[in-house]
Amino acid sequence: MTRLPIDSLLPEIVTQLRRAASVVIEAPPGAGKTTRVPPAVLPLVRGEVLVLEPRRLAARLAARRVASELGERVGETVGYQVRFEDVGSPRTRLRFVTEGVLTRRLLDDPQLKDVGAVILDEFHERHLDGDLALALLRRLQKTTRPELLLVVMSATLNAGPISRFLDDCPVLRSEGRLYHLRIDYTPHSAAPLEEQVVGAVERLVDEQGDVLAFLPGAAEIRRAARALEGLAARKSLLVVPLYGDLSPAEQDRAISPAAQRKIILSTNVAESSVTIEGVTAVIDSGLARVAADSPWTGLPSLEVRRISQASAVQRAGRAGRTAPGRVIRLYTAEDFQRRAPSDTPEILRRELSQLVLQLRAMHVNELAWLDAPPLAAMAAASALLDRLGVLPHMAELPLPPRLSKLALEAAARGVPEKGCAAAAVLSAGERGTDLLTVMEAEWQPQTTRVYEQLRRLVPGRDRKGTGDHALLQAVLAAFPDRVARHRRDGELLLSTGGSARMAGCRHEFVIAVDVQERKVHLAAGPIQPDWLLDRVTETTSLAWNRTAERVELVTALVYDQLTIDETRIPAPPSEESARLLAEKALEVDIGRFADREALEQLRARAAFAGVEISVGDALRELCRGRVSFAELESAKLLAALRPAHIEKIAPERLRLPGGRDVQVHYEVGKPPWIESRLQDFFGVEETPHIGKTPVVVHLLAPNRRPVQVTSDLRGFWERLYPQVRRELSRRYPKHKWPEKPV
């Protein structure tokens, strides 16, 4: 058996685990920690040793390698358990499992009675299930299982915080066995990624060894494979894909030795796993699809993001495990320096409803964390679960809580097959706009595998003659906060508030399962309004009818923020309706309710009288007992505004000695003024006054045109009238023009 760098550290690991229950191991890529540490721990315990791997491929490869080194087949002493696959026997004591498998095992057996040690491998990836596993195992170790051994291993890990979390346990470091690496960077290119991969392969084609190219996902792998067809044929290269959704046989083809030189097109499943023999070159796109959560559905999804420096180091290390290697990074050195040193732990950035569901199922109320989840995220997750209503066994299904609810609710309504199908297509991200149509279309292999697994966990057959209503009610139970109402022209009003667009919507009520950028990408319907009644509240409110210009009483049935039904009648007079009417009246032109010139005149009279008037206050007072503009228009706003006793202080008209009444004009900041024909003032010796203020007199000729403006009528008679008399008597000889008018 080939000696590996970690072998020299194994005695110290065993010694420390005999003294303390926990140890942290730092070992660079290629050191052999994944395959050598677990067998070394096995003699220290009576029960099983579980090794947590972040990916299915790593679990399968590690189990095979360890079994081979023991001279056995997988399934005897060494086995593995991943989603869709469980290879083991009653003899199996060393089991490689993915992180979620351990979580479900803890649900069934909180004490892990038959487990003596748990090894968390590649812990630097900081998956949500890995952090939960560490927290639960530490809790178990500190309460009822102090003898349980914990080993945390990683290649690119800051061991200090983990050691402190595990009561300052020992940190052991191993030397690596990494051959010399030549790392080349690539200038920025706008070319499609697959063309950049072809260019990198051409640079490596005359060298020895297989090439491992890291790409974000299966779609990019397929495009790159097509782009490489010509080069592969000319150079006799074998191009093989490697990603998580491939069958075990297809994955084996990628990692097994071949007669031809291989170009392995892989996602980050190959970033942390046992050595793939023959690889001496790595092409790194610098991208990966990482776990995220849809902000609308809350369901897990994968987003393409730039990898961290730590991930880039991991990828590069794959080229130097068995011989000197070469790395071509499809980005610049400056780009590498700008990247984050490491990835943010999922527990700090993911939606946490599944984690909270698992904790509830385990009856765990408090838990110490390596990195505590954000309080807001925990509160939001708890609120979602409270609304969904947790069913028995929800936490046992390998699904997010919404989809677990869907599958179990459908089974309770007599359609387990349809429920599992709907959960499977949503879990796998099958494309389409209508859920029922997507369920009937051809599925991806991954969807089929999820469906078959769910059918083993949710047995039973659909009741005969059952239509789609039972399934749609189950979808509603899983997405109760995603109800939408189709109004017109493809616009949907959402129960969360706001609206979105959906072309071709044929139903009034649907479940908007997926909405992005105000566009509905996937919906389920029709939803019957009476299905919503158990969560509907009846509200009464006042609303303004813009067309009828009146306050109306609206009685509505409301689901979250979505109105299901409403009736409107003219509102009865009340303080509230008066306030709303006044608010709307003050928004329009005041000329609707009073002659504007008369209003301005009244304001000026009030200012002259030293009295303040408020149009707003008067309008509000007039709105009492009224509910419409029509009623307000006939309410005589000017009369309501007119101050008491204003006629004495600022009269609207004055009577001249000859008996003629003239209007008094008021302007803010100016004295009041009157106007009339000159003859009307014959006999008026002194200027008229309002209070102590002399009035400005506009004297008019017979043609009503002004001939003089004065506030000193006596002075006018004495100084100016003689000349005015001569001019006017010539022009208007039929009128009397006495020499002494007073």
Side-chain angles (χ1 to χ4, degrees):
M1 186 166 59
T2 304
R3 184 165 180 81
L4 299 175
I6 195 72
D7 291 339
S8 61
L9 191 64
L10 295 179
E12 180 66 13
I13 294 172
V14 170
T15 299
Q16 292 295 345
L17 285 174
R18 286 188 173 129
R19 295 174 181 170
S22 304
V23 68
V24 177
I25 299 174
E26 287 186 24
K33 60 185 180 303
T34 300
T35 56
R36 295 292 167 87
V37 172
V41 173
L42 194 58
L44 300 178
V45 298
R46 291 185 177 181
E48 276 188 273
V49 173
L50 300 182
V51 185
L52 270 65
E53 295 291 343
R55 293 181 175 83
R56 288 174 282 170
L57 176 64
R60 291 178 56 245
L61 292 181
R64 287 184 181 182
R65 182 69 57 82
V66 174
S68 173
E69 291 182 350
L70 293 177
E72 297 180 353
R73 291 180 302 177
V74 177
E76 297 181 17
T77 304
V78 183
Y80 65 91
Q81 185 177 354
V82 300
R83 192 177 187 184
F84 311 123
E85 213 178 351
D86 185 358
V87 179
S89 68
R91 290 182 50 202
T92 301
R93 291 191 57 225
L94 177 57
R95 196 180 302 269
F96 290 81
V97 301
T98 45
E99 296 158 333
V101 170
L102 175 64
T103 304
R104 285 188 287 277
R105 183 157 177 175
L106 282 164
L107 281 169
D108 296 333
D109 178 15
Q111 297 298 312
L112 291 181
K113 292 186 295 289
D114 298 325
V115 176
V118 179
I119 300 172
L120 292 82
D121 194 19
E122 305 294 359
F123 191 74
H124 68 275
E125 298 204 9
R126 297 298 302 278
H127 292 169
L128 191 56
D129 278 327
D131 270 34
L132 175 60
L134 179 64
L136 291 172
L137 291 167
R138 182 56 180 149
R139 177 177 180 268
L140 187 58
Q141 194 183 57
K142 291 176 74 71
T143 54
T144 59
R145 293 287 312 279
E147 78 285 1
L148 180 67
L149 301 184
L150 294 183
V151 179
V152 181
M153 304 194 302
S154 178
T156 58
L157 178 72
N158 182 1
I162 300 178
S163 172
R164 289 191 291 274
F165 181 69
L166 297 175
D167 291 343
D168 294 317
C169 72
V171 176
L172 305 178
R173 294 176 174 85
S174 168
E175 296 298 324
R177 188 189 68 179
L178 192 64
Y179 290 89
H180 173 72
L181 286 177
R182 172 185 163 187
I183 299 179
D184 296 330
Y185 292 92
T186 307
H188 172 74
S189 171
L193 181 57
E194 60 270 21
E195 293 182 14
Q196 297 182 51
V197 171
V198 172
V201 172
E202 287 176 337
R203 293 163 62 183
L204 298 168
V205 76
D206 293 327
E207 300 183 12
Q208 299 298 314
D210 295 337
V211 177
L212 175 60
F214 286 99
L215 296 168
E220 291 83 0
I221 286 175
R222 286 191 289 270
R223 287 196 291 269
R226 287 194 296 270
L228 284 166
E229 286 175 353
L231 179 62
R234 292 194 305 274
K235 298 294 184 177
S236 188
L237 303 174
L238 179 63
V239 178
V240 289
L242 180 60
Y243 52 90
D245 288 343
L246 291 175
S247 67
E250 291 171 310
Q251 291 180 348
D252 289 345
R253 179 169 178 259
I255 62 177
S256 299
Q260 294 172 269
R261 188 180 178 198
K262 286 187 301 184
I263 310 296
I264 305 169
L265 304 177
S266 176
T267 61
N268 56 3
V269 297
E271 193 174 295
S272 55
S273 62
V274 298
T275 300
I276 301 177
E277 299 294 338
V279 171
T280 58
V282 162
I283 298 171
D284 180 10
S285 68
L287 303 171
R289 273 191 164 81
V290 299
D293 301 287
S294 164
W296 179 260
T297 65
L299 299 181
S301 61
L302 293 175
E303 294 180 355
V304 176
R305 295 182 183 174
R306 296 161 71 239
I307 63 171
S308 66
Q309 292 180 4
S311 291
V313 170
Q314 281 279 107
R315 291 182 174 187
R318 310 299 298 180
R321 291 198 177 185
T322 59
R326 186 174 175 191
V327 179
I328 296 179
R329 289 175 173 158
L330 301 180
Y331 46 94
T332 64
E334 293 78 12
D335 185 344
F336 176 80
Q337 294 300 327
R338 289 195 300 267
R339 293 173 183 247
S342 58
D343 296 313
T344 302
E346 287 187 354
I347 200 167
L348 300 180
R349 62 179 176 81
R350 294 289 303 275
E351 194 275 335
L352 301 177
S353 59
Q354 190 157 17
L355 181 145
V356 174
L357 175 63
Q358 291 164 338
L359 292 177
R360 287 188 183 185
M362 297 177 194
H363 307 290
V364 175
N365 297 319
E366 293 185 7
L367 196 60
W369 299 91
L370 178 60
D371 286 297
L375 293 177
M378 293 291 281
S382 293
L384 173 62
L385 293 179
D386 291 342
R387 176 153 193 187
L388 292 180
V390 177
L391 297 174
H393 310 300
M394 262 180 68
E396 298 171 13
L397 298 185
L399 291 171
R402 286 187 189 269
L403 301 188
S404 295
K405 176 76 173 185
L406 193 166
L408 295 174
E409 184 75 21
R413 293 179 178 275
V415 285
E417 294 171 290
K418 290 181 179 178
C420 290
V425 299
L426 291 174
S427 174
E430 291 281 357
R431 296 193 175 277
T433 57
D434 177 75
L435 178 61
L436 299 181
T437 303
V438 173
M439 289 168 57
E440 295 173 356
E442 184 177 352
W443 293 351
Q444 306 171 52
Q446 167 73 0
T447 308
T448 302
R449 289 196 290 271
V450 173
Y451 173 75
E452 291 171 349
Q453 182 186 28
L454 292 178
R455 291 295 292 130
R456 291 192 291 271
L457 298 170
V458 185
R461 309 288 293 182
D462 291 352
R463 284 199 301 261
K464 290 185 178 180
T466 304
D468 293 326
H469 279 193
L471 174 64
L472 291 171
Q473 286 174 305
V475 176
L476 175 61
F479 296 89
D481 50 344
R482 299 300 184 237
V483 177
R485 185 177 190 180
H486 183 218
R487 298 297 291 173
R488 58 187 175 275
D489 301 328
E491 181 187 23
L492 273 66
L493 302 180
L494 307 174
S495 62
T496 53
S499 62
R501 306 284 303 173
M502 181 179 179
C505 184
R506 297 176 288 109
H507 312 299
E508 182 179 10
F509 290 96
V510 297
I511 300 295
V513 178
D514 188 14
V515 178
Q516 298 175 30
E517 297 179 349
R518 296 192 62 208
K519 181 179 179 181
V520 179
H521 290 268
L522 178 64
I527 300 299
Q528 302 301 320
D530 57 355
W531 299 352
L532 309 174
L533 293 181
D534 61 336
R535 292 194 58 87
V536 161
T537 57
E538 184 174 358
T539 65
T540 57
S541 61
L542 295 178
W544 179 248
N545 186 321
R546 188 178 302 172
T547 303
E549 296 184 317
R550 70 185 181 195
V551 181
E552 293 183 337
L553 181 66
V554 181
T555 302
L557 296 179
V558 179
Y559 181 93
D560 290 351
Q561 299 181 50
L562 184 65
T563 298
I564 305 301
D565 188 33
E566 71 175 21
T567 57
R568 288 173 171 256
I569 60 173
S574 66
E575 289 293 326
E576 190 177 351
S577 60
R579 280 195 298 271
L580 181 55
L581 178 61
E583 176 189 322
K584 296 302 178 182
L586 289 169
E587 291 176 358
V588 301
D589 188 338
I590 195 64
R592 287 288 305 271
F593 313 111
D595 180 81
R596 182 174 291 282
E597 289 186 8
L599 177 59
E600 292 304 316
Q601 185 65 196
L602 181 60
R603 280 180 168 145
R605 288 178 68 196
F608 175 78
V611 179
E612 289 188 14
I613 63 173
S614 170
V615 174
D617 290 346
L619 202 57
R620 292 185 188 93
E621 189 63 30
L622 282 181
C623 287
R624 293 180 182 276
R626 296 179 171 87
V627 296
S628 70
F629 279 0
E631 294 173 313
L632 201 55
E633 286 169 357
S634 61
K636 300 181 179 178
L637 174 61
L638 288 177
L641 278 170
R642 189 173 292 116
H645 311 300
I646 194 173
E647 284 299 329
K648 293 182 180 179
I649 305 171
E652 190 172 6
R653 305 188 73 82
L654 285 180
R655 173 163 291 188
L656 301 178
R660 184 177 182 82
D661 279 350
V662 294
Q663 181 182 357
V664 182
H665 299 273
Y666 295 86
E667 295 180 32
V668 177
K670 297 180 180 180
W673 59 276
I674 60 175
E675 66 175 2
S676 193
R677 294 179 305 164
L678 183 62
Q679 287 91 339
D680 295 334
F681 290 92
F682 289 170
V684 181
E685 187 173 357
E686 299 289 343
T687 303
H689 282 63
I690 296 177
K692 295 183 179 181
T693 303
V695 175
V696 177
V697 178
H698 293 231
L699 300 169
L700 308 180
N703 64 356
R704 305 296 295 181
R705 292 185 177 180
V707 294
Q708 188 64 41
V709 177
T710 182
S711 57
D712 179 10
L713 202 54
R714 177 186 290 275
F716 170 75
W717 295 132
E718 293 176 354
R719 295 187 299 274
L720 300 176
Y721 176 69
Q723 182 180 348
V724 171
R725 175 180 174 271
R726 286 193 298 270
E727 292 178 2
L728 293 181
S729 62
R730 288 197 303 268
R731 292 167 60 188
Y732 302 101
K734 294 182 179 181
H735 291 262
K736 293 181 180 181
W737 303 101
E739 291 183 11
K740 298 180 178 180
V742 295

